[in-house]
Amino acid sequence: SYELTQPPSVSVSPGQTASITCSGDKLGDKYASWYQQKPGQSPVLVIYQDSERPSGIPERFSGSNSGNTATLTISGTQAMDEAEYYCQAWDSSTVVFGGGTKLTVL
Amino acid sequence: QVQLVQSGAEVKKPGASVKVSCKASGYTFTYYYLHWVRQAPGQGLEWMGIINPSGGSTNYAQKFQGRVTMTRDTSTSTVYMELSSLRSEDTAVYYCARGVQGEGNYMDVWGKGTTVTVSS
């Protein structure tokens, strides 16, 4: 079965750029989506179709996908961006999630 | 506005079944698929399956095949997820999420989740 691999944790200083990767075999041939989840809350879609932002998502969130790696980039990271982030792809008519990355802003 | 309102928390004994509902509003119910995703305490997101409210067709994750049933009621714009033969490992928050299929296949709106606790 298809697998997506994320680093368990990423740390960033306020105002700096955070990059969270998601790796999977030929992931660049599929579309990647990203979800933000804060403690006790439901996930929120922040990036779809590799690099599209839903309405209401700040411009500091961006995405890319090529080769075997999709990347979520948060520019000018703010304290409110501290959360768990999950990548997601669609493979063989099933949804696959990455294991999640805890973003710490310190 | 688009909303997915889920039923309340459940406590079940091992071996029992649970049925969680998800009522959609703010959009045409049959135009979007609905996914079910669960999250065990302290764990990541786990996809359970998808239902097409238009025709009722379903596709379940292999892990849940034979134990999960997803249905819909178009008269009330509600989808249901029933999980049988519950065990302690099924203790989790269960989410429904609206699915955008086609280019991308992603989930753009999520319910608030339903906590299911399996305990003797």
Side-chain angles (χ1 to χ4, degrees), chain A residues 61-82:
Chain A
F61 287 86
S62 63
S64 63
N65 184 17
S66 179
N68 295 322
T69 304
T71 303
L72 173 68
T73 302
I74 309 173
S75 305
T77 306
Q78 300 183 9
M80 68 173 64
D81 300 328
E82 185 163 288

Side-chain angles (χ1 to χ4, degrees), chain A residues 21-105:
Chain A
T21 59
C22 174
S23 299
D25 185 49
K26 298 180 181 177
L27 180 57
D29 292 344
K30 311 176 191 297
Y31 278 114
S33 303
W34 292 90
Y35 303 87
Q36 176 194 69
Q37 187 180 34
K38 297 181 179 180
Q41 298 183 17
S42 303
V44 172
L45 178 70
V46 294
I47 293 289
Y48 66 97
Q49 291 180 4
D50 295 339
S51 60
E52 299 296 316
R53 272 182 297 104
S55 61
I57 300 301
E59 290 184 8
R60 63 180 180 273
F61 287 86
S62 63
S64 63
N65 184 17
S66 179
N68 295 322
T69 304
T71 303
L72 173 68
T73 302
I74 309 173
S75 305
T77 306
Q78 300 183 9
M80 68 173 64
D81 300 328
E82 185 163 288
E84 193 84 17
Y85 290 85
Y86 296 92
C87 60
Q88 175 251 309
W90 178 261
D91 178 79
S92 301
S93 300
T94 65
V95 167
V96 182
F97 286 106
T101 298
K102 168 66 175 172
L103 177 67
T104 301
V105 183

Side-chain angles (χ1 to χ4, degrees), chain A residues 1-4 91 94 96, chain B residues 62:
Chain A
S1 61
Y2 195 75
E3 293 184 359
L4 294 174
D91 178 79
T94 65
V96 182
Chain B
Q62 190 169 9

Side-chain angles (χ1 to χ4, degrees), chain B residues 29-119:
Chain B
F29 178 63
T30 54
Y31 282 12
Y32 293 84
Y33 287 60
L34 265 294
H35 298 264
W36 287 93
V37 177
R38 77 177 187 179
Q39 186 171 37
Q43 302 301 307
L45 303 175
E46 181 174 33
W47 183 74
M48 300 181 69
I50 187 172
I51 182 168
N52 179 353
S54 178
S57 62
T58 56
N59 187 31
Y60 304 138
Q62 190 169 9
K63 175 177 178 176
F64 300 101
Q65 293 269 4
R67 254 197 342 132
V68 70
T69 304
M70 297 177 188
T71 56
R72 95 293 190 212
D73 182 345
T74 55
S75 68
T76 60
S77 299
T78 302
V79 296
Y80 300 90
M81 186 284 298
E82 183 169 22
L83 189 63
S84 62
S85 302
L86 290 170
R87 36 216 188 223
S88 59
E89 309 89 89
D90 294 318
T91 293
V93 177
Y94 290 76
Y95 296 101
C96 61
R98 191 175 78 164
V100 179
Q101 301 300 107
E103 292 294 314
N105 297 312
Y106 53 93
M107 303 167 205
D108 66 342
V109 178
W110 293 64
K112 292 190 181 302
T114 296
T115 299
V116 175
T117 303
V118 183
S119 174

